[in-house]
Amino acid sequence: MLDQATIAVIKSTIPLLESAGPALTQHFYQRMFSHNPELKDVFNLAHQHSGGQPLALFNAVAAYAKNIDNLGALAGAVERIAHKHTGFLIQPEQYHIVGSHLLATLKELGGSAVTEEVLDAWGKAYGVLASIFIGRESEIYQERAAGHGGWQGARPFIIKEKRQESEIITSFLLTPADGKPVLTFKPGQYLSIQLTHPELEYQEIRQYSLSDAPNGRDYRISVKREPEGQVSNLLHDVLQVGDEVALMPPTGDFVLQASSTTPVVLLSAGVGLTPMLSMLNQLLANGHDAEVRWLHACEHGALHAFKQEIQDKSRQHARLESRVWYRTPGEQDVAGRDYDFAGTLSLEQVTDLIPADAHYYFCGPLGFMKAVKDQLASLGVPADRMHYEVFGPHQDL
């Protein structure tokens, strides 16, 4: 644990951190990739270019400094980040590299305000945090390896099936090359896929939500084509049935946790429906005793993935009700057949469908999730009944 003198020094640097802002972590990443280019095979460089990862890291560093005397407040963030790290196969020795560049960044950007006392305090504080992450990540690695069908590291899988779900979303059914069982997972979790290909400058790792209930045999992910996405375009256009990819075990802390008598409302927009679909299929497979609501929003019918599947399930399961919003319905889209409402998702339009004691799981673009959270709060839903996942670097809503 940290002594009070070190804690005091860390807290004294909060104004310095806040004045530097994300420029601090942008400099950190530039420095680290310059000195250790091998890490470009680990980090998602697209998130570097977008600024999402530097912002997420800055928020994490600032939160650590502000809660340095109450690390329990960071338990949720530590768990989420540790799961992410295991998906990228982060190893203990890499924490030393990150720590050295973080301290060097503080020294280079902080000027005279960053004294040896400050560097020493941050060195100690980083050491404590690194130990927490290394310990938790070791546990996760061991849990994934010890489970039935489990493994550690990258495991070869074959693309068994490739199916287009909409104009921009394609599903991939992935089966283990060795024909052995696969580790089960909790609906809401994701897979990390590792790709090396002549079209890619570096080895790339991406994380995609599992889009079906666990079965012990194979996994399904459903991938949105991003206009500038190297990996998503490679998956859509180049990789075919029979090709091999490498997967890390399923992981993630956004998981379905509902008793059989708990009403569940699943809300999504666009490709955010993928973890929701995994949750839905598990609920239906278990014969969930309470009401289940599927509320989905997308641009129009051409981008509406899994439409027929959800309509079929709604007819087959009396406790499942589905409602769909198209922001800009197309000429071929028919109200009452393809969608229920035009415009953006509004809970006021379906209040009669929502049980008072429901738990809410939601995923989609950040603006959509912020709007959902605000609507839920306005309806009096407590925070502990709201559960959400941000694709990519985490942000608070």
Side-chain angles (χ1 to χ4, degrees):
M1 299 300 293
L2 296 172
D3 59 82
Q4 289 302 312
T6 299
I7 290 172
V9 172
I10 295 296
K11 283 189 168 292
S12 75
T13 65
I14 292 174
L16 174 64
L17 297 176
E18 291 179 335
S19 65
L24 177 79
T25 44
Q26 288 172 351
H27 180 90
F28 158 78
Y29 278 117
Q30 291 169 359
R31 189 183 202 285
M32 184 173 68
F33 289 138
S34 174
H35 288 78
N36 295 92
E38 73 277 7
L39 293 180
K40 292 182 179 181
D41 283 334
V42 177
F43 286 81
N44 184 335
L45 297 183
H47 291 159
Q48 301 297 326
H49 300 320
S50 70
Q53 189 59 51
L55 176 60
L57 178 60
F58 171 75
N59 289 337
V61 171
Y64 183 49
K66 293 175 182 178
N67 292 279
I68 195 69
D69 53 353
N70 180 28
L71 296 184
L74 302 177
V78 167
E79 185 69 6
R80 181 176 59 250
I81 294 169
H83 279 273
K84 287 280 187 182
H85 282 180
T86 61
F88 288 103
L89 300 181
I90 299 300
Q91 299 301 310
E93 58 268 21
Q94 291 169 326
Y95 279 94
H96 173 72
I97 297 173
V98 169
S100 65
H101 290 299
L102 180 61
L103 293 179
T105 296
L106 287 172
K107 186 173 183 179
E108 291 166 2
L109 295 189
S112 59
V114 179
T115 63
E116 288 301 317
E117 182 185 33
V118 168
L119 290 175
D120 182 60
W122 266 103
K124 292 178 181 177
Y126 176 80
V128 168
L129 186 61
S131 294
I132 292 172
F133 276 115
I134 290 169
R136 180 61 186 127
E137 288 158 21
S138 176
E139 292 174 350
I140 296 172
Y141 284 131
Q142 292 175 30
E143 291 167 3
R144 300 295 182 264
H148 178 67
W151 72 96
Q152 186 165 347
R155 179 179 175 185
F157 276 69
I158 305 297
I159 300 175
K160 182 179 179 180
E161 181 182 326
K162 186 175 176 180
R163 188 177 75 184
Q164 188 169 349
E165 309 290 1
S166 75
E167 284 189 353
I168 59 172
I169 295 176
T170 295
S171 288
F172 298 81
L173 189 66
L174 306 167
T175 187
D178 59 15
K180 296 180 180 180
V182 300
L183 185 68
T184 192
F185 61 90
K186 296 178 181 179
Q189 292 188 310
Y190 51 82
L191 278 178
S192 295
I193 183 168
Q194 183 186 73
L195 294 173
T196 302
H197 193 274
E199 292 194 10
L200 300 174
E201 184 178 0
Y202 303 101
Q203 172 186 276
E204 297 285 355
I205 298 175
R206 293 293 186 273
Q207 296 175 327
Y208 297 109
S209 294
L210 290 141
S211 61
D212 203 353
N215 60 30
R217 301 184 308 274
D218 47 41
Y219 298 124
R220 186 179 74 179
I221 58 173
S222 301
V223 179
K224 176 187 175 185
R225 181 198 294 274
E226 300 290 349
E228 303 299 323
Q230 277 188 308
V231 172
S232 67
N233 282 284
L234 182 72
L235 287 166
H236 276 251
D237 298 335
V238 179
L239 297 186
Q240 300 299 329
V241 171
D243 288 342
E244 184 177 290
V245 297
L247 300 182
M248 276 65 89
T251 192
D253 68 323
F254 174 64
V255 297
L256 177 64
Q257 294 177 315
S259 70
S260 63
T261 57
T262 300
V264 174
V265 180
L266 306 171
L267 306 99
S268 58
V271 76
L273 57 66
T274 51
M276 303 297 103
L277 190 56
S278 179
M279 293 181 182
L280 175 67
N281 289 348
Q282 184 68 72
L283 288 166
L284 298 181
N286 289 346
H288 196 65
D289 293 330
E291 294 89 344
V292 180
R293 302 293 181 253
W294 175 271
L295 308 180
H296 180 63
C298 59
E299 288 294 310
H300 47 73
L303 303 185
H304 187 179
F306 300 100
K307 178 178 72 174
Q308 191 61 51
E309 180 175 335
I310 298 300
Q311 290 179 348
D312 291 344
K313 291 180 188 298
S314 296
R315 286 190 290 267
Q316 295 163 3
H317 298 274
R319 293 190 178 278
L320 172 62
E321 290 274 0
S322 168
R323 295 293 184 271
V324 173
W325 285 256
Y326 284 178
R327 194 174 71 85
T328 54
E331 293 181 1
Q332 305 301 316
D333 298 329
V334 178
R337 183 194 71 185
D338 302 305
Y339 68 99
D340 300 288
F341 305 102
T344 57
L345 190 150
S346 170
L347 292 176
E348 290 185 354
Q349 294 174 302
V350 292
T351 52
D352 58 317
L353 284 180
I354 300 177
D357 55 346
H359 274 246
Y360 300 80
Y361 294 82
F362 49 104
C363 186
L366 200 61
F368 165 81
M369 290 197 294
K370 287 180 177 178
V372 166
K373 183 179 180 182
D374 289 345
Q375 290 183 60
L376 291 173
S378 70
L379 293 174
V381 177
D384 63 359
R385 289 201 271 125
M386 302 183 202
H387 318 277
Y388 66 92
E389 171 89 312
V390 176
F391 288 160
H394 181 77
Q395 296 185 49
D396 292 322
L397 299 184

